[in-house]
Amino acid sequence: MNESTDSTTTSGVRGRAANLKSRLQQDGKEKIESGKRAAADQIAEIADAIDLAGAQLDQSQPTLASYASRLADGVGTLATRLREDSIEDLYRDIRRVATDHPGMFLLGSAALGLMIARFMKATGEETAAEDLGEAAESEAQEWGEVPEVNEAVENPSLYGSSATPDSPGAPQRGV
């Protein structure tokens, strides 16, 4: 090969790499945007729940109702900003808060980390319990130890003791 072929091949590889990089960046932005919208929807639901709780407290605890209403407004504003602002705008705002109020930023980050950890732990335990239950059921069915759901409905005596008064294992009254 000559030098012109090598440079053409190299520029072609670089072009494909640049194209791949831009596609990956675009895909990443799209995923972040969809995650941002989902988070905004969940945060809006939380704001609605806080507002509803505040409305219920309005009669008996007006001070708590006022705090709940302000908290719901703040959470609702956060949901709106997540929906409407771009990732770059949000990043810029977070960076500004971090430089202007580092202590508040660290406390907020720690609180957010704890909430995310609890959420992940709760969903992980829920998923693990479901997976464990399904695995145990399928394994038991493979060995013929658990009746199918239809069998259990058709023949309830497969579960527990359903002894009739005439059966030998049934407790006798008045003996």
Side-chain angles (χ1 to χ4, degrees):
M1 279 202 241
N2 60 26
E3 232 177 83
S4 66
T5 308
D6 289 342
S7 65
T8 304
T9 305
T10 304
S11 65
V13 169
R14 285 184 184 161
R16 285 192 303 251
N19 190 16
L20 178 62
K21 179 182 174 185
S22 67
R23 280 191 312 191
L24 288 174
Q25 285 177 337
Q26 185 63 30
D27 288 347
K29 282 184 180 181
E30 288 174 5
K31 286 184 181 187
I32 289 172
E33 286 293 327
S34 69
K36 188 178 74 144
R37 283 190 300 272
D41 292 342
Q42 290 178 349
I43 291 171
E45 288 176 13
I46 291 169
D48 291 342
I50 293 170
D51 198 33
L52 181 63
Q56 290 176 350
L57 288 172
D58 199 25
Q59 306 276 329
S60 61
Q61 300 288 330
T63 305
L64 286 177
S66 170
Y67 288 137
S69 176
R70 283 192 276 175
L71 179 62
D73 289 342
V75 172
T77 302
L78 174 64
T80 302
R81 291 214 45 216
L82 275 176
R83 262 192 216 103
E84 294 174 359
D85 289 354
S86 70
I87 292 295
E88 290 82 15
D89 293 338
L90 293 171
Y91 174 74
R92 202 172 316 119
D93 291 345
I94 290 170
R95 191 172 176 159
R96 184 181 43 79
V97 168
T99 56
D100 293 347
H101 309 285
M104 186 177 78
F105 180 76
L106 288 174
L107 285 174
S109 298
L112 182 63
L114 287 173
M115 288 188 330
I116 290 172
R118 284 182 159 232
F119 175 74
M120 297 298 286
K121 182 179 178 186
T123 55
E125 287 175 354
E126 194 174 283
T127 304
E130 289 174 5
D131 292 345
L132 183 61
E134 290 172 4
E137 185 177 318
S138 66
E139 188 173 321
Q141 285 177 355
E142 287 176 13
W143 288 93
E145 296 174 0
V146 177
E148 293 291 327
V149 174
N150 293 337
E151 290 179 43
V153 171
E154 293 170 4
N155 189 359
S157 65
L158 291 172
Y159 289 109
S161 67
S162 60
T164 60
D166 298 333
S167 67
Q172 308 236 340
R173 293 185 196 180
V175 175

